[in-house]
Amino acid sequence: MTATDLLDTLVERGWTIACAESLTGGLLTSALVDVPGASRVVRGGVVAYDTDVKRAVLGVDANLLAQRGAVDADVAWQMADGVRSALATAAGPAHVGLATTGVAGPDPQDGQAVGTVFVAVASPIGTEVRRLQLSGDRSTIRRVTVAEVIALAQETLSAR
Protein backbone atom coordinates (compact mmCIF):
# COMPACT_ATOMS: atom_id res chain seq x y z
CA MET A 1 0.00 0.00 0.00
CA THR A 2 1.11 3.52 -0.69
CA ALA A 3 0.50 6.90 0.87
CA THR A 4 -1.61 7.74 -2.20
CA ASP A 5 -3.84 4.71 -1.59
CA LEU A 6 -4.31 5.67 2.04
CA LEU A 7 -5.15 9.28 1.25
CA ASP A 8 -7.60 8.17 -1.46
CA THR A 9 -9.37 6.00 1.13
CA LEU A 10 -9.55 8.94 3.52
CA VAL A 11 -10.93 11.26 0.84
CA GLU A 12 -13.61 8.67 0.00
CA ARG A 13 -14.65 8.54 3.67
CA GLY A 14 -14.40 12.29 4.19
CA TRP A 15 -11.93 11.66 7.02
CA THR A 16 -8.83 13.51 8.23
CA ILE A 17 -5.53 12.14 9.50
CA ALA A 18 -2.84 13.22 11.97
CA CYS A 19 0.56 11.70 12.76
CA ALA A 20 2.46 11.23 16.02
CA GLU A 21 6.06 10.37 15.29
CA SER A 22 9.01 9.42 17.42
CA LEU A 23 11.71 7.42 15.63
CA THR A 24 10.49 8.53 12.18
CA GLY A 25 11.04 12.18 13.09
CA GLY A 26 8.66 13.65 10.50
CA LEU A 27 9.21 11.14 7.69
CA LEU A 28 5.67 9.81 7.97
CA THR A 29 4.03 13.22 7.73
CA SER A 30 6.38 14.07 4.88
CA ALA A 31 5.40 10.88 3.01
CA LEU A 32 1.75 11.87 3.28
CA VAL A 33 2.18 15.49 2.24
CA ASP A 34 4.33 14.43 -0.73
CA VAL A 35 1.05 13.24 -2.31
CA PRO A 36 -0.62 15.95 -4.40
CA GLY A 37 -3.89 17.01 -2.78
CA ALA A 38 -2.86 15.79 0.67
CA SER A 39 -4.14 19.02 2.20
CA ARG A 40 -7.69 17.72 1.75
CA VAL A 41 -7.18 15.22 4.59
CA VAL A 42 -3.82 15.70 6.37
CA ARG A 43 -4.10 17.76 9.57
CA GLY A 44 -0.39 17.63 10.38
CA GLY A 45 2.05 15.86 12.59
CA VAL A 46 3.69 15.99 15.99
CA VAL A 47 7.30 14.89 16.27
CA ALA A 48 7.37 13.67 19.86
CA TYR A 49 10.97 12.53 19.91
CA ASP A 50 11.41 13.40 23.57
CA THR A 51 9.55 11.12 25.97
CA ASP A 52 8.16 14.05 27.95
CA VAL A 53 6.61 15.49 24.77
CA LYS A 54 4.74 12.21 24.37
CA ARG A 55 3.20 12.89 27.79
CA ALA A 56 2.74 16.65 27.61
CA VAL A 57 1.50 17.03 24.03
CA LEU A 58 0.02 13.65 23.13
CA GLY A 59 -1.34 12.69 26.54
CA VAL A 60 0.58 9.44 26.95
CA ASP A 61 0.25 8.22 30.54
CA ALA A 62 3.25 9.28 32.63
CA ASN A 63 3.18 6.09 34.72
CA LEU A 64 3.19 3.95 31.58
CA LEU A 65 6.21 5.83 30.25
CA ALA A 66 8.00 5.51 33.61
CA GLN A 67 7.27 1.79 33.94
CA ARG A 68 7.78 0.58 30.36
CA GLY A 69 9.57 3.34 28.51
CA ALA A 70 8.61 4.91 25.19
CA VAL A 71 9.09 1.77 23.08
CA ASP A 72 5.88 -0.05 23.91
CA ALA A 73 2.62 -1.11 22.26
CA ASP A 74 0.45 0.83 24.72
CA VAL A 75 2.56 3.95 24.22
CA ALA A 76 2.05 3.66 20.44
CA TRP A 77 -1.70 3.24 20.98
CA GLN A 78 -1.89 6.30 23.24
CA MET A 79 0.21 8.35 20.81
CA ALA A 80 -2.10 7.47 17.89
CA ASP A 81 -5.17 8.27 19.93
CA GLY A 82 -3.68 11.40 21.48
CA VAL A 83 -2.63 13.02 18.21
CA ARG A 84 -6.24 12.93 17.01
CA SER A 85 -7.11 15.39 19.79
CA ALA A 86 -3.82 17.26 19.75
CA LEU A 87 -4.49 18.27 16.15
CA ALA A 88 -8.21 18.93 16.53
CA THR A 89 -9.77 21.86 14.75
CA ALA A 90 -13.18 23.53 15.04
CA ALA A 91 -14.46 20.52 13.06
CA GLY A 92 -13.31 18.20 15.86
CA PRO A 93 -10.49 15.71 16.30
CA ALA A 94 -8.78 14.08 13.36
CA HIS A 95 -10.57 10.89 12.35
CA VAL A 96 -7.39 8.84 12.10
CA GLY A 97 -4.22 9.01 14.17
CA LEU A 98 -1.02 7.22 13.19
CA ALA A 99 1.91 6.66 15.53
CA THR A 100 5.46 5.40 15.34
CA THR A 101 7.75 4.63 18.27
CA GLY A 102 10.80 2.40 18.45
CA VAL A 103 14.55 2.04 18.29
CA ALA A 104 16.28 2.99 15.04
CA GLY A 105 19.76 2.67 16.53
CA PRO A 106 22.61 2.67 16.84
CA ASP A 107 22.05 1.68 20.48
CA PRO A 108 19.25 -0.15 22.33
CA GLN A 109 16.73 2.02 24.22
CA ASP A 110 14.48 1.31 27.20
CA GLY A 111 15.67 -2.30 27.21
CA GLN A 112 14.57 -2.77 23.61
CA ALA A 113 16.87 -3.93 20.81
CA VAL A 114 17.61 -1.88 17.73
CA GLY A 115 14.87 -2.53 15.19
CA THR A 116 12.08 -2.96 17.76
CA VAL A 117 9.26 -0.75 16.54
CA PHE A 118 5.59 -0.26 17.34
CA VAL A 119 3.18 1.34 14.90
CA ALA A 120 -0.42 2.19 15.66
CA VAL A 121 -3.59 3.38 13.96
CA ALA A 122 -6.48 4.88 15.94
CA SER A 123 -9.82 5.71 14.34
CA PRO A 124 -13.55 5.63 15.08
CA ILE A 125 -13.62 2.03 13.85
CA GLY A 126 -10.95 0.81 16.23
CA THR A 127 -7.29 0.79 17.09
CA GLU A 128 -4.60 -1.50 15.73
CA VAL A 129 -1.07 -1.80 17.04
CA ARG A 130 1.65 -3.83 15.39
CA ARG A 131 5.06 -4.78 16.74
CA LEU A 132 7.82 -4.92 14.15
CA GLN A 133 11.31 -6.36 14.42
CA LEU A 134 13.25 -4.66 11.65
CA SER A 135 16.81 -5.00 10.49
CA GLY A 136 19.14 -2.67 8.68
CA ASP A 137 20.74 0.64 9.42
CA ARG A 138 19.03 3.58 11.07
CA SER A 139 17.78 5.05 7.80
CA THR A 140 16.36 1.73 6.61
CA ILE A 141 14.52 1.11 9.88
CA ARG A 142 12.95 4.55 9.73
CA ARG A 143 11.86 4.21 6.08
CA VAL A 144 10.44 0.72 6.57
CA THR A 145 8.53 1.94 9.64
CA VAL A 146 6.82 4.61 7.52
CA ALA A 147 5.82 2.03 4.91
CA GLU A 148 4.54 -0.35 7.60
CA VAL A 149 2.34 2.17 9.40
CA ILE A 150 0.86 3.35 6.10
CA ALA A 151 0.11 -0.27 5.17
CA LEU A 152 -1.43 -0.95 8.58
CA ALA A 153 -3.64 2.13 8.24
CA GLN A 154 -4.80 1.10 4.79
CA GLU A 155 -5.50 -2.46 5.96
CA THR A 156 -7.41 -1.22 9.00
CA LEU A 157 -9.55 1.25 7.08
CA SER A 158 -10.19 -1.08 4.14
CA ALA A 159 -11.23 -4.01 6.35
CA ARG A 160 -14.20 -2.16 7.80
Side-chain angles (χ1 to χ4, degrees):
M1 300 296 163
T2 67
T4 301
D5 296 329
L6 175 58
L7 295 183
D8 286 347
T9 298
L10 292 167
V11 168
E12 288 172 16
R13 288 181 178 254
W15 283 9
T16 57
I17 191 167
C19 304
E21 304 184 62
S22 188
L23 84 150
T24 52
L27 288 177
L28 174 57
T29 304
S30 180
L32 296 179
V33 301
D34 279 347
V35 177
S39 61
R40 294 179 291 172
V41 296
V42 176
R43 287 273 177 90
V46 172
V47 176
Y49 207 69
D50 183 276
T51 298
D52 199 45
V53 174
K54 291 172 181 67
R55 180 199 55 76
V57 176
L58 299 174
V60 176
D61 182 81
N63 290 328
L64 174 64
L65 290 165
Q67 292 171 3
R68 298 192 209 162
V71 183
D72 180 80
D74 290 334
V75 170
W77 176 87
Q78 289 185 16
M79 288 174 64
D81 192 52
V83 77
R84 294 174 64 211
S85 297
L87 295 184
T89 66
H95 295 93
V96 178
L98 305 182
T100 65
T101 188
V103 186
D107 300 314
Q109 177 187 337
D110 294 333
Q112 301 286 349
V114 172
T116 304
V117 174
F118 293 91
V119 295
V121 178
S123 75
I125 57 176
T127 302
E128 296 289 334
V129 179
R130 184 172 290 164
R131 179 191 171 115
L132 309 170
Q133 195 59 56
L134 305 175
S135 59
D137 63 13
R138 183 175 173 79
S139 177
T140 300
I141 290 169
R142 293 173 72 226
R143 277 185 302 160
V144 171
T145 298
V146 168
E148 290 287 339
V149 74
I150 289 171
L152 179 61
Q154 184 64 25
E155 291 169 24
T156 301
L157 298 178
S158 296
R160 300 182 176 122

